[in-house]
Amino acid sequence: MKVLNYIDGRWVSSTSGQFVSIINPATGESIGEVALSNEQDVKQAVSAAKRAQKKWALVPAPKRAKVLYKVGMLLQERKEQIARLLTMEMGKVIEEARGEVQEGIDMAFYMAGEGRRLFGDTTPSELPNKFAMSVRAPIGVVGLITPWNFPIAIATWKSFPAIVAGNAVVWKPALETPIMAQQLAQIFEEAGLPNGVFNVVHGRGSVVGEALVEHRDVKVISFTGSNEVGRRIAEMCGRHLKKVSLEMGGKNAIIVMDDADIALAVEAIIWSAFGTSGQRCTACSRVIVHEHVKKHVEERLLAAINTLTVGNGLEEGVKVGPVINQDALQKIHHYVQIGKNEGATLLAGGYILQDGPYKEGFYYAPTLFTNVTPTMRIAREEIFGPVTSIISVRSLEEAIEVNNSVDYGLSSAIFTRDIHRAFTAMRDFDTGIVYVNAGTTGAEIHLPFGGTKGTGNGHRDSGVAALDVFTEWKSIYVDYSGKLQRAQIDV
């Protein structure tokens, strides 16, 4: 299989003529090749998008929305096929892959509905015989840069609102997951989206991503990925006064109070910490436990971890798949060594799985530390793997302080039966997402998704808030008085 760029409605090779292998992380085997593009390919895609956007913006929004309805139906028809390709390419277990495709389906139908809303505001004028309103206007060409861990979901969070709002898209997907980009582009094509409105350019972030960010005709960049890259993109966009939306890392915590339903809390911790092999920005990498129930939680977590089946995500019953590649495997193992050296107690895992069925893939044993302090690196830095740490606290106030002490602010959760504690946590957690009696992952598409502090720069994916990234507000005044009226003066 060769995965090509999709530019102006055509499947084309990169002008570089180069390809790199696509690796199945469960087996280490090549499952195809993807074009390795360059700056010239980006220029072609942006040029096509710029031409197409002028016409697309003139299409009434409800008609633009009809394309998204068709996209949603096609995703629904092919849900199992796409889910299996997703697992083969990225590694997450098939159950999760199906859920991710469903997220794309839900987003298609939700954003299609916005085609009949895209609400503005009308407001009284302070002057007689004068009408005042504000409306959303498309921005133009938008650049999307997305990661490999949710290659369909995140792409739909960004592309669907951009397109229904009247923009054209140039998308640089992660080099590890180009098959998902190919699938989505094919669906847009079949749904009847005009040529040039949706374009895909594969390649390295340092080449394709940088060219996309620097291009003067790309008016907004929406990025999901690491803090290091996000900060660089923000700096580049700042020099051009270019609008930029960033969704980056997380160091998310589940707080378990002494009155919690421990069984429910443990179930949520296992799902939040080890689902997607911990490769989620919302993964629970800290478990902040009241000292009175610490031992009970440790015992329950150990028992639950011992039941987890690690393996190829295409096999039903497997709960933890591989991590994305060898570099990820080494990074995770490096952090485990840091945890040991810092004095944390390793309760489970802590090693690379490399024998028998794990010999060729990239597998790491689900790992649990305890006796971790809030200042340890494993309690502060994003590991992005199946590793979580138990931190003991004496009170709700201390738990909130520890929760808020990290540089990130994406997701947090509390397990308690006390409504006063629950509402205090809802008020005082400084994260963009808060859960009560649920894990740190499980956002729904009709609510804003994003975080505070080092997690982002104030914008949000999903929900109506996503439209704010891809539209500008235009204020309009219509004076039908037949004379010059001066606001703030002739009142």
Side-chain angles (χ1 to χ4, degrees):
M1 176 191 296
K2 281 199 173 184
V3 179
L4 306 178
N5 292 334
Y6 183 68
I7 298 175
D8 205 13
R10 296 181 299 116
W11 297 95
V12 293
S13 295
S14 167
T15 55
S16 73
Q18 295 180 314
F19 289 84
V20 292
S21 291
I22 308 164
I23 303 299
N24 180 341
T27 64
E29 297 172 342
S30 174
I31 53 176
E33 291 182 317
V34 57
L36 198 59
S37 305
N38 56 29
E39 185 178 357
Q40 185 60 35
D41 300 308
V42 174
K43 289 179 178 178
Q44 290 177 4
V46 173
S47 178
K50 186 178 180 181
R51 289 193 303 271
Q53 191 273 331
K54 292 177 180 178
K55 295 180 180 179
W56 182 241
L58 298 177
V59 175
K63 289 189 176 180
R64 296 196 297 257
K66 286 184 178 180
V67 174
L68 287 188
Y69 279 121
K70 291 179 182 177
V71 167
M73 288 185 285
L74 289 168
L75 281 169
Q76 205 161 38
E77 289 172 13
R78 300 173 193 176
K79 180 177 176 179
E80 184 65 19
Q81 171 197 337
I82 295 171
R84 296 187 75 81
L85 285 171
L86 197 164
T87 294
M88 182 174 68
E89 183 176 49
M90 181 268 157
K92 69 176 58 176
V93 301
I94 188 63
E95 180 184 38
E96 293 182 48
R98 292 174 184 135
E100 179 174 346
V101 180
Q102 185 62 49
E103 196 164 348
I105 295 165
D106 294 343
M107 182 59 78
F109 293 142
Y110 178 80
M111 277 301 163
E114 285 301 315
R116 288 196 175 271
R117 290 186 289 267
L118 287 175
F119 294 140
D121 293 297
T122 59
T123 184
S125 170
E126 66 185 46
L127 295 165
N129 298 319
K130 187 176 181 181
F131 179 79
M133 64 180 173
S134 58
V135 298
R136 290 187 184 273
I139 296 178
V141 178
V142 304
L144 309 181
I145 303 173
T146 60
W148 46 261
N149 60 333
F150 283 86
I152 281 287
I154 293 175
T156 64
W157 293 355
K158 298 177 186 295
S159 64
F160 292 177
I163 286 170
V164 81
N167 302 288
V169 167
V170 179
W171 174 27
K172 192 211 87 66
L175 205 53
E176 292 86 353
T177 50
I179 296 173
M180 289 298 96
Q182 181 189 58
Q183 292 292 308
L184 190 55
Q186 286 173 346
I187 283 174
F188 267 123
E189 189 174 46
E190 291 180 44
L193 188 69
N195 293 345
V197 176
F198 185 79
N199 306 272
V200 182
V201 183
H202 300 285
R204 303 191 193 284
S206 57
V207 179
V208 173
E210 188 157 331
L212 192 59
V213 172
E214 291 281 13
H215 200 296
R216 60 181 298 176
D217 289 331
V218 176
K219 301 303 182 183
V220 59
I221 292 290
S222 181
F223 167 81
T224 297
S226 72
N227 283 63
E228 180 184 1
V229 175
R231 287 175 188 276
R232 174 162 168 72
I233 288 173
E235 291 169 2
M236 294 165 68
C237 288
R239 289 197 296 271
H240 299 291
L241 298 179
K242 184 175 297 192
K243 192 173 186 180
V244 58
S245 170
L246 305 173
E247 200 286 299
M248 300 177 289
K251 194 65 183 176
N252 315 292
I254 292 177
I255 292 174
V256 184
M257 297 308 298
D258 53 354
D259 64 338
D261 180 334
I262 300 300
L264 178 61
V266 166
E267 187 178 2
I269 293 164
I270 292 293
W271 165 239
S272 299
F274 303 120
T276 320
S277 303
Q279 299 171 119
R280 292 190 284 219
C281 55
T282 56
C284 169
S285 54
R286 296 181 297 155
V287 181
I288 302 171
V289 182
H290 194 285
E291 61 183 3
H292 291 166
V293 293
K294 176 175 177 278
K295 184 173 178 57
H296 191 190
V297 170
E298 287 176 350
E299 291 171 350
R300 288 267 194 150
L301 278 175
L302 271 174
I305 288 171
N306 289 334
T307 69
L308 292 175
T309 304
V310 181
N312 189 323
L314 285 173
E315 298 174 8
E316 296 286 354
V318 168
K319 295 300 182 184
V320 181
V323 298
I324 189 66
N325 55 33
Q326 184 66 31
D327 287 345
L329 204 59
Q330 294 304 321
K331 177 187 174 183
I332 294 162
H333 196 56
H334 175 65
Y335 267 105
V336 168
Q337 304 316 306
I338 288 172
K340 290 178 179 178
N341 293 337
E342 288 179 314
T345 304
L346 183 63
L347 289 183
Y351 54 91
I352 297 170
L353 293 164
Q354 48 194 353
D355 296 326
Y358 309 118
K359 188 175 182 182
E360 303 300 332
F362 312 115
Y363 296 95
Y364 204 87
T367 298
L368 177 65
F369 280 105
T370 192
N371 299 327
V372 174
T373 65
T375 59
M376 290 181 179
R377 287 181 63 187
I378 60 169
R380 304 192 66 80
E381 299 176 17
E382 189 175 41
I383 299 172
F384 223 63
V387 180
T388 195
S389 301
I390 295 175
I391 302 169
S392 178
V393 293
R394 295 180 296 276
S395 65
L396 174 62
E397 292 72 22
E398 185 183 0
I400 292 171
E401 183 180 352
V402 172
N403 179 75
N404 294 348
S405 67
V406 295
D407 293 334
Y408 302 98
L410 182 52
S411 181
S412 51
I414 184 169
F415 280 82
T416 179
R417 292 184 172 98
D418 186 325
I419 192 170
H420 303 290
R421 285 174 162 177
F423 271 82
T424 298
M426 289 158 57
R427 182 194 66 197
D428 293 346
F429 285 167
D430 65 358
T431 53
I433 304 169
V434 173
Y435 295 92
V436 177
N437 295 326
T440 53
T441 187
E444 299 179 36
I445 58 93
H446 49 290
L447 276 74
F449 181 93
T452 63
K453 301 188 293 186
T455 289
N457 66 337
H459 293 290
R460 294 293 187 268
D461 289 327
S462 293
V464 177
L467 294 168
D468 293 335
V469 177
F470 302 111
T471 57
E472 294 284 10
W473 282 106
K474 182 181 291 186
S475 297
I476 299 172
Y477 303 92
V478 181
D479 192 323
Y480 54 97
S481 69
K483 62 182 180 180
L484 174 65
Q485 300 191 94
R486 299 170 298 174
Q488 295 90 43
I489 297 174
D490 298 333
V491 294

